[in-house]
């Protein structure tokens, strides 16, 4: 359930190095299997004592991640999936979740990945092994740092497949799924253009029906293991809460962050929402990372790296005690399945793009890349990185992104790049501990959400109408935005309307000429003063990457969280893995 490592026999890789990485990732019990010419390491989730394999005389199936098949709970889903695979009647449309299934029948291995490829698989270029852990992949044989990938990671917080931070390791995305001795079931989602004649009201209902169908498909899983979710004052967690309570009656519990002097307002908003259905709300106290003792800071930073497997999602997974296994255990309480609202931006015009056509290169620089991060590099290096990113997107989307393109490319970017490359890292981390479902990242909901794009407007009112349709009381609770989620105030509409018509060049100019963020300067200075671990990591980074403008970073010109995570990951790889 938590992870697998499949090694070709006689390949000479250091499989014990992989086991050492998995030990640092706080996984559950290990089972080892001989499957044909391979050795399979299969790890359970730390908090779920359920077998993640099923076998009969005819064959075996092994599972990583979280899934339900044909509306069944976990063990039954494993059993029926194997039976259907054996009979040739496996229906990939009947799966919900983010997962990899490995079928072993008559000496042959076959892999099935979820349609969005949310469970990442890594391999060396020689295809001597594959695994769901990047750090384990990088640890088992000699590797060198992929500097272009480092630049990409610093630029926008994650990596687009197939690249990784190691030159020798690739992620097996859609066009890289080839491995001698293993077949892959063709199940990759790809958007097919279409039109819909539904009215706005009809479209709200259609989207809600799709969500209701999803929750029905995982109801048995929730009933057996108990479900919880994170709550805030925003749209996406509220939409999950409305849908979950309607489908399940209530949740086992919910949680909200309780970091001193950081989450006070959001916690109060979450309390109001939880009261609607009298849901128990867990509020585990934490501190801002630099307020911990030096040794605690070191441990949190190191734990962040291993818990998120060297693969954070922009600011998610970094620089916080909330991204640790112990925090996950305390917030889930008695529940063993967590719902997440990540990806809910599919129901909004997240980047407030109003122009019918956009210059995609400039749009990325203005709205997607970490603020001012392009200026960490010289112009030539930045252009090289950006060309690489766009080439990978063109390959994935199947369209040209040079020059001006339809603004629908912004929707494609979020749904087909950010979800499977960035938000998938959140799923990977949380799946090591217990079951985890992020409905808005799944292909059925992502695909249906394309139909509502013409109603998205510039605000979140459409998603607000969805929440109201599902739960008329939940939508009434105060929001993070200070206004009714279904009716934005006129002045706020004018503000966002004006912002939406500004050319990308204005945003780019503003980012280049804004004053440095003094808060970021203080964060970095305090971190360097208190954390011996990060001080060593940062010195390594500066020596290894002299062409990166670290002085610009130190002056508070770039938000530090993603950079800190990347620096710590590279340092761990340099000191603990074969270089």
């Amino acid at each position: 359930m938590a992870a697998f490592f499949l090694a070709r026999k006689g390949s000479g890789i250091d499989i014990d190095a992989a086991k050492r990485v998995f030990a640092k990732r706080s996984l559950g019990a290990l089972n080892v299997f001989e499957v044909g010419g391979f050795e399979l390491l299969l790890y359970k989730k730390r908090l779920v004592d359920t077998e993640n394999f099923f076998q009969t005389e005819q064959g075996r199936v092994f599972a990583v991640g979280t899934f339900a098949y044909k509306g069944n709970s976990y063990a039954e889903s494993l059993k029926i999936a194997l039976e259907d695979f054996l009979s040739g009647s496996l229906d990939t449309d009947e799966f919900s979740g983010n997962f990899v299934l490995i079928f072993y029948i008559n000496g042959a291995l076959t892999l099935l990945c979820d349609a969005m490829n949310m469970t990442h698989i890594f391999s060396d270029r020689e295809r001597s092994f594959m695994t769901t852990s990047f750090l384990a992949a990088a640890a088992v044989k000699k590797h060198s740092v992929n500097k272009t990938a480092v630049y990409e990671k610093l630029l926008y917080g994650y990596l687009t497949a197939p690249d990784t931070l190691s030159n020798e390791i690739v992620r097996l995305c859609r066009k890289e799924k080839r491995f001698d001795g293993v077949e892959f079931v063709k199940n990759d989602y790809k958007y097919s253009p279409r039109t819909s004649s539904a009215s706005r009201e009809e479209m709200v209902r259609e989207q809600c029906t799709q969500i209701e169908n999803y929750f029905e498909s995982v109801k048995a899983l929730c009933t057996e293991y108990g479900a919880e979710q994170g709550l805030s004052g925003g749209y996406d967690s509220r939409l999950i809460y409305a849908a979950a309570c309607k489908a399940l009656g209530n949740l086992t519990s919910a949680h909200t962050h309780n970091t001193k002097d950081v989450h006070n307002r959001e916690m109060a908003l979450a309390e109001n929402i939880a009261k609607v259905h009298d849901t128990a709300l867990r509020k585990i106290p934490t501190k801002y990372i630099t307020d911990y003792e030096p040794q605690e800071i070191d441990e949190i930073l190191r734990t962040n790296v291993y818990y998120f497997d060297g693969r954070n999602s922009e600011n998610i997974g970094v620089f916080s005690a909330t991204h640790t296994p112990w925090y996950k255990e305390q917030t889930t309480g008695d529940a063993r399945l967590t719902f997440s609202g990540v990806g809910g931006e599919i129901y909004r015009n997240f980047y407030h793009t109003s122009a019918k056509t956009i210059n995609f290169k400039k749009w990325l620089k203005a709205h997607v890349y970490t603020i001012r991060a392009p200026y960490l590099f010289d112009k030539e290096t930045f252009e090289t990185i950006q060309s690489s990113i766009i080439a990978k997107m063109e390959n994935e989307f199947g369209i040209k992104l040079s020059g001006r393109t339809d603004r629908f490319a912004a929707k494609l970017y979020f749904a087909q790049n950010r979800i499977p490359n960035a938000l998938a890292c959140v799923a990977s981390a949380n799946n090591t501990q217990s079951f985890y479902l992020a409905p808005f990242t799944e292909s059925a909901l992502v695909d249906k959400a394309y139909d509502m794009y013409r109603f998205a407007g510039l605000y979140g009112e459409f998603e607000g109408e969805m929440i109201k349709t599902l739960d008329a009381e939940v939508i009434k609770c105060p929001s993070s935005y200070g206004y009714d989620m279904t009716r934005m105030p006129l002045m706020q509409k004018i503000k966002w309307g004006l912002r939406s018509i500004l050319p990308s060049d204005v945003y780019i100019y503003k980012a280049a000429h804004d004053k440095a963020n003094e808060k970021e300067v203080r964060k970095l200075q305090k971190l360097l003063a208190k954390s011996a671990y990060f001080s060593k990591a940062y010195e390594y980074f500066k020596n290894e990457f002299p062409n990166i403008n670290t002085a610009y970073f130190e002056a508070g010109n770039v938000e530090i969280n993603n950079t800190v995570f990347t620096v710590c990951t590279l340092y761990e790889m340099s000191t603990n893995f074969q270089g």
Side-chain angles (χ1 to χ4, degrees):
M1 266 178 273
F4 81 80
F5 194 102
L6 184 71
R8 199 181 298 277
K9 291 178 181 177
S11 59
I13 63 170
D14 185 0
I15 202 163
D16 287 334
K19 292 178 180 178
R20 290 192 291 272
V21 168
F22 287 127
K24 292 180 180 180
R25 296 200 63 207
S26 300
L27 309 184
L30 167 65
N31 284 305
V32 181
F33 301 90
E34 298 292 320
V35 284
F38 299 90
E39 181 179 1
L40 174 66
L41 309 183
L42 186 70
Y43 286 86
K44 290 183 180 180
K45 299 180 188 296
R46 187 169 68 90
L47 304 177
V48 181
D49 190 24
T50 299
E51 295 295 354
N52 53 338
F53 65 94
F54 179 77
Q55 57 189 3
T56 67
E57 291 183 358
Q58 288 74 41
R60 301 174 178 177
V61 60
F62 311 95
V64 167
T66 299
F67 81 102
Y69 181 56
K70 292 185 173 179
N72 292 286
S73 192
Y74 188 76
E76 192 68 9
S77 290
L78 270 175
K79 176 177 178 291
I80 295 173
L82 178 59
E83 290 172 351
D84 284 4
F85 185 83
L86 286 165
S87 66
S89 60
L90 190 72
D91 186 348
T92 56
D93 290 335
E94 289 284 348
F95 283 93
S96 299
N98 43 88
F99 60 89
V100 174
L101 297 184
I102 305 173
F103 296 97
Y104 182 58
I105 314 294
N106 296 326
L109 283 169
T110 303
L111 260 69
L112 170 66
C113 305
D114 65 83
M116 293 292 286
N117 290 299
M118 290 290 287
T119 304
H120 292 172
I121 301 176
F122 302 89
S123 181
D124 57 346
R125 295 187 183 278
E126 294 76 27
R127 301 301 196 267
S128 58
F129 67 85
M130 59 176 152
T131 176
T132 48
S133 171
F134 164 67
L135 290 181
V140 298
K141 60 191 298 186
K142 255 189 153 178
H143 78 92
S144 57
V145 173
N146 181 346
K147 293 194 173 184
T148 302
V150 173
Y151 303 152
E152 180 179 329
K153 179 76 167 53
L154 293 174
L155 188 59
Y156 74 152
Y158 62 93
L159 289 173
T160 295
D163 297 318
T164 74
L165 294 177
S166 168
N167 284 312
E168 289 71 31
I169 305 300
V170 294
R171 178 148 66 85
L172 302 186
C173 57
R174 187 192 311 255
K175 295 185 178 179
E176 290 285 335
K177 286 182 180 175
R178 47 182 177 75
F179 197 97
D180 288 346
V182 178
E183 293 292 324
F184 287 86
V185 176
K186 291 183 178 179
N187 186 43
D188 298 311
Y189 170 72
K190 186 173 179 61
Y191 169 69
S192 298
R194 59 182 180 270
T195 57
S196 170
S197 60
S199 67
R200 183 185 182 93
E201 184 179 350
E202 290 169 337
M203 183 56 66
V204 168
R205 184 64 257 171
E206 286 182 16
Q207 298 297 328
C208 289
T209 298
Q210 188 74 52
I211 294 174
E212 289 172 319
N213 291 342
Y214 175 87
F215 274 90
E216 190 63 32
S217 75
V218 298
K219 188 173 182 177
L221 190 63
C222 297
T223 301
E224 180 173 358
Y225 290 98
E228 69 95 31
Q229 72 162 104
L231 268 180
S232 71
Y235 284 97
D236 306 332
S237 68
R238 192 176 308 216
L239 182 55
I240 288 286
Y241 184 68
C245 289
K246 183 173 183 179
L248 308 174
N250 204 340
L251 294 165
T252 304
S253 62
H255 73 270
T256 192
H257 293 326
N258 182 16
T259 304
K260 184 181 178 183
D261 299 327
V262 176
H263 295 120
N264 300 25
R265 182 166 177 266
E266 287 295 311
M267 187 164 59
L269 294 169
E271 288 170 347
N272 279 329
I273 298 169
K275 285 177 183 176
V276 173
H277 293 289
D278 197 25
T279 306
L281 186 66
R282 302 178 68 80
K283 299 168 285 189
I284 307 303
T286 57
K287 295 183 284 190
Y288 192 71
I289 188 168
T290 52
D291 291 335
Y292 284 95
E293 293 300 313
Q295 297 87 345
E296 292 175 312
I297 296 173
D298 291 355
E299 184 59 28
I300 290 169
L301 291 175
R302 193 180 291 110
T303 300
N304 286 165
V305 169
Y306 283 97
Y307 184 43
F308 269 73
D309 195 39
R311 298 178 284 139
N312 61 304
S313 172
E314 299 165 287
N315 278 342
I316 303 176
V318 305
F319 208 62
S320 174
T322 63
H323 302 304
T324 57
W326 68 262
Y327 183 80
K328 171 70 174 173
E329 181 173 3
Q330 291 188 57
T331 54
T332 53
D334 294 330
R336 287 297 174 262
L337 185 151
T338 294
F339 282 111
S340 172
V342 297
E345 294 90 342
I346 60 174
Y347 301 114
R348 306 196 297 279
N349 183 348
F350 182 60
Y351 300 101
H352 307 287
T353 304
S354 64
K356 290 184 177 180
T357 63
I358 57 176
N359 180 309
F360 194 71
K361 278 189 176 183
K362 288 184 177 181
W363 180 85
L364 283 176
K365 191 172 182 181
H367 299 286
V368 175
Y369 299 146
T370 303
I371 294 174
R372 294 188 289 275
Y375 305 102
L376 288 170
F377 319 103
D378 60 60
K379 186 176 180 180
E380 182 179 350
T381 300
F382 169 72
E383 291 297 334
T384 299
I385 305 165
Q386 178 159 258
S387 295
S388 171
I389 290 171
I390 289 177
K392 287 187 285 185
M393 288 188 195
E394 288 180 334
N395 188 43
E396 189 68 20
F397 300 170
I399 61 173
K400 285 293 181 184
L401 297 171
S402 56
R404 297 197 70 81
T405 186
D406 189 280
R407 68 172 178 173
F408 194 69
K411 179 80 169 178
L412 286 172
Y413 158 74
F414 188 89
Q416 291 187 227
N417 181 270
R418 191 167 180 264
I419 285 177
N421 290 292
L423 299 185
C425 302
V426 184
S428 170
N430 286 289
N431 261 313
T432 62
Q433 306 301 301
S434 58
F435 292 114
Y436 173 89
L437 292 170
F440 308 140
T441 67
E442 298 204 27
S443 58
L445 275 69
V446 168
D447 185 68
K448 186 62 182 176
Y450 280 114
D451 292 343
M452 56 72 56
Y453 187 65
R454 60 196 169 97
F455 297 117
L458 297 175
Y459 326 110
E461 291 170 318
F462 187 94
E463 189 173 358
E465 291 168 34
M466 291 172 62
I467 299 169
K468 184 177 181 179
T469 300
L470 291 166
D471 194 319
E473 295 303 314
V474 165
I475 195 63
K476 294 177 183 177
C477 296
S479 73
S480 303
Y481 309 101
Y483 52 78
D484 185 333
M485 284 182 159
T486 62
R487 190 176 300 128
M488 181 179 283
L490 178 60
M491 291 308 296
Q492 194 72 17
K493 285 187 176 183
I494 293 172
K495 174 185 173 183
W496 281 114
L498 290 173
R499 285 190 179 185
S500 73
I501 63 175
L502 292 176
S504 293
D505 285 328
V506 173
Y507 288 95
I508 294 169
Y509 178 88
K510 184 177 183 296
H513 294 86
D514 269 354
K515 292 181 180 179
N517 188 331
E518 290 300 322
K519 181 181 178 182
E520 296 298 303
V521 174
R522 291 192 297 271
K523 280 165 63 175
L524 182 61
Q525 289 175 343
K526 196 169 184 180
L527 184 62
L528 287 167
K530 293 188 74 173
S531 173
Y533 172 75
F534 181 69
S535 295
K536 292 176 183 176
Y538 191 53
E539 281 304 310
Y540 156 80
F541 178 75
K542 289 196 291 185
N543 290 333
E544 189 72 17
F545 298 92
N547 60 323
I548 293 179
N549 187 358
T550 51
Y552 189 80
F553 169 62
E554 292 165 13
N557 289 297
V558 179
E559 185 278 327
I560 75 169
N561 291 11
N562 171 61
T563 305
V564 168
F565 184 95
T566 305
V567 167
C568 292
T569 298
L570 293 168
Y571 182 63
E572 280 295 313
M573 291 170 64
S574 72
T575 55
N576 293 309
F577 300 171
Q578 300 178 54

